[in-house]
Structure formats: C-alpha cells, structure tokens
Amino acid sequence: MLNLSKAILRAAALAVTATSLGGCSFFGMNFGMAQLSEKECMMRAMYFESNRSSAEGMLAVGTVVMNRVGDSRYPQSVCGVVGQKNQFAQGVLSRKMTDSGAVLAAQMADQVLSGSRHAGVQGAQHFHTAGLRFPYNNMHYVLEAGGNEFYEKY
C-alpha cells in the first residue's frame, strides 16, 4: 500500500512538472500550449517568424495566423494554429524571447487581436524566407515584408 501511495505521488509530481514546462509533451499531450494566452501565442509567432525586423513584418505574420484561424482547414484558435507541427519556427511556443523585439511583438499582437490586418497579405496563409524561390505553379506571391515572402496557394 505504501509503495502504491509513493507511485501515485511520483506520478502527480511528474504531471505537475510536465505542465509547468512551456511547450513540453507528457505522454503525447502538449501541456505548455494550454498555458499560453492567445496574445502570447501571437506574440511568439510574430517575434520568431519576422526576425523582430519591423512592425510591418510582424503585422504580416499576424495576418497569416488570423487568416488560418478563419479557415476551417486549420485549428480555430491562435495557439492551435501557431502550435501546429512543422508550420512555424521550431520551438516557437517554448523558446525564450530575449530582446526588445518582445515589446514590439506585444504591441503588434494587441493590434492584430483587435482586428488590424496587413492589407498587402490579402488572403495569404503561407510565407517563407525572402529570397527563396520554389518552382511550384500553385503559388501566387502577394507581399514581401519582415524578411518573408507571403503567398496564396491556388
């Protein structure tokens, strides 16, 4: 009986530890994302994807996130979209934001979550690093901003 109690306490401690680590997984469940607010998820996408380059670049990234939230093919929350595997920068929900770009990201996240959009992004739901070109004929580029090129797929 005592060993069972110790095992239960250890499991509980492990679960608490797992939930306190941002972006970590415990038995395949992502606890870190559940702790972040929509603003924090938006800030992180803008901060890491725009390379903290400019308000315009952050606004463009935020617009893509919101375009995806509004499309039934994607999760219907900012954190769901940003947390999708292989869609945004590695560790976007768990890495530390270490410079003043986080202040600008917070300001821009507030604007996007209040309805601001980058008009040049239009309906684009995709972007990649500026300067790269792909030979696909199903891409229509609409904007270059913040070190990224934004495009729509046909």
Side-chain angles (χ1 to χ4, degrees):
M1 184 70 155
L2 185 58
N3 286 339
L4 181 59
S5 295
K6 285 183 181 179
I8 291 171
L9 287 174
R10 277 191 202 123
L14 181 59
V16 168
T17 300
T19 60
S20 69
L21 299 172
C24 289
S25 178
F26 180 67
F27 295 118
M29 297 183 295
N30 188 336
F31 289 103
M33 190 171 66
Q35 293 182 342
L36 297 177
S37 69
E38 296 286 284
K39 178 179 177 177
E40 289 168 318
C41 291
M42 180 65 76
M43 282 176 59
R44 293 175 153 284
M46 294 172 153
Y47 179 90
F48 289 111
E49 293 292 354
S50 73
N51 299 313
R52 298 161 297 286
S53 61
S54 66
E56 180 189 23
M58 289 185 182
L59 182 60
V61 168
T63 300
V64 166
V65 170
M66 296 310 293
N67 285 348
R68 287 185 177 196
V69 168
D71 185 325
S72 62
R73 296 175 293 177
Y74 294 94
Q76 301 301 289
S77 71
V78 171
C79 290
V81 166
V82 174
Q84 275 193 299
K85 189 173 182 175
N86 300 323
Q87 294 297 304
F88 289 89
Q90 183 73 22
V92 68
L93 295 177
S94 59
R95 292 189 338 214
K96 292 189 185 294
M97 294 185 286
T98 59
D99 63 24
S100 61
V103 173
L104 179 58
Q107 294 167 349
M108 297 311 298
D110 283 337
Q111 289 183 27
V112 169
L113 293 173
S114 295
S116 294
R117 301 292 182 269
H118 192 298
V121 171
Q122 302 168 31
Q125 296 177 340
H126 309 279
F127 60 91
H128 61 70
T129 302
L132 300 177
R133 284 295 175 189
F134 299 96
Y136 308 120
N137 59 4
N138 67 339
M139 299 165 70
H140 170 69
Y141 288 93
V142 296
L143 176 73
E144 182 176 333
N148 292 308
E149 293 191 50
F150 297 80
Y151 63 95
E152 296 177 331
K153 283 188 174 180
Y154 300 125

